[in-house]
Amino acid sequence: MKWMVRMQYSSWNTENRMGALSTKHFIKLEGAPKEDIQHLIDTGLMFREVLNRPIKKVPSLIGKNVVNLFFENSTRTRMSFELAEKRLSADVTNFSASSSSLNKGESFKDTIQNIHAMKMDCVVMRHPVPGSCHQLTKYVDAIVINAGDGKHEHPTQAMLDMMSLYEKFGYLKGLKVAIIGDISHSRVALSNIHGLITMGAEVTLCGPPHLIPIGIKELGVSVSHNVDEVVEWADALNILRIQRERMGVGLIPSVREYRDFFGITQERLDRHKKEIVIMHPGPMNRGVEIDSSVADGDQAIILDQVLNGVAVRMSILYSLLGPEEEGKDEKK
Ligand code: CP
């Protein structure tokens, strides 16, 4: 299987940095400058403080209209975007494909053009088709934020993962991060790879050979098929879900065999007797890629990731839509 989902379009305008970020839209971390990633982490940490206050709301996006378009299921991303928008005082509209006129045969383009006519400032979209968020930028003037486009990227998830690592360790450069599991079907993996490599982290991918794309080492990562070696090496494990819905049939012989070879079990961690940070983007298959005792244990920062998801999405929305961004239409 070849690594197919590298998009050829431009999003980041590194030559012409304007305002908080060098991009109008937030579609991918491929090509994102280090300064922009660090800015989003630093601003996210500032918003994390706001989330600890008794009144968790700031007036930064008063008068801005944001629509959340979800064409695929989501718990964390959808809720945290909505919370982030409300914490910033934006006006929020939610669109769910399953209860829309798409079910009466309306096209994606017509749906989007109707939303465009309602004068939205920002569209947050999750869609099963890789490249759909980029396509959306052709149909609307609004700022577009990718909440996951098929197997391509999930850049806001990678931002919250990097913010969580930065919060825990205080640095990303030289940090040893292992991404374990089904890399081939994972937009979380691709966004994390781009972001972490840009920030100077060392990244090792670990999983069954047929779930790691040929050619992936070109992105600057190492590959291992031995999870015990990877646990011994890493400072942090980002454990991915086995995505049975994207796989078709037969890509893992059995759930039990996968757990034996690649599952992060308590027994496996105990064998290594070392400090290691456990991450998972969710949703988890407990007892498959991660044991409950690991997911709920002291080394796990999985629920910190969830809270940081709200903070970093506030950071992204504020950096793209906030007051200092007014009149910065020159960005690509
Ligand atoms: N991590 C993540 O994207 O979770 P959801 O699918 O629940 O949004």
Side-chain angles (χ1 to χ4, degrees), residues 129-177:
V129 176
S132 50
C133 290
H134 175 64
Q135 195 61 28
L136 180 59
T137 66
K138 312 271 183 221
Y139 297 150
V140 296
D141 286 337
I143 288 165
V144 175
I145 299 178
N146 180 2
D149 61 335
K151 289 193 288 179
H152 175 224
E153 283 216 32
H154 192 351
T156 65
Q157 176 68 45
M159 283 307 313
L160 76 87
D161 291 342
M162 287 190 286
M163 177 178 157
S164 302
L165 287 168
Y166 189 79
E167 185 182 41
K168 184 79 187 168
F169 291 95
Y171 62 94
L172 292 175
K173 189 172 166 53
L175 195 66
K176 292 176 179 159
V177 182

Side-chain angles (χ1 to χ4, degrees), residues 73-78 126 154 157 281-283:
N73 295 341
S74 169
T75 298
R76 282 147 290 268
T77 311
R78 185 180 177 140
R126 170 169 288 190
H154 192 351
Q157 176 68 45

Side-chain angles (χ1 to χ4, degrees), residues 66 68 80-90 92 124 317:
V66 183
N68 300 311
S80 63
F81 262 114
E82 186 174 346
L83 259 180
E85 291 148 10
K86 289 178 172 170
R87 299 284 187 239
L88 291 167
S89 307
V92 181
V124 175
L317 287 157

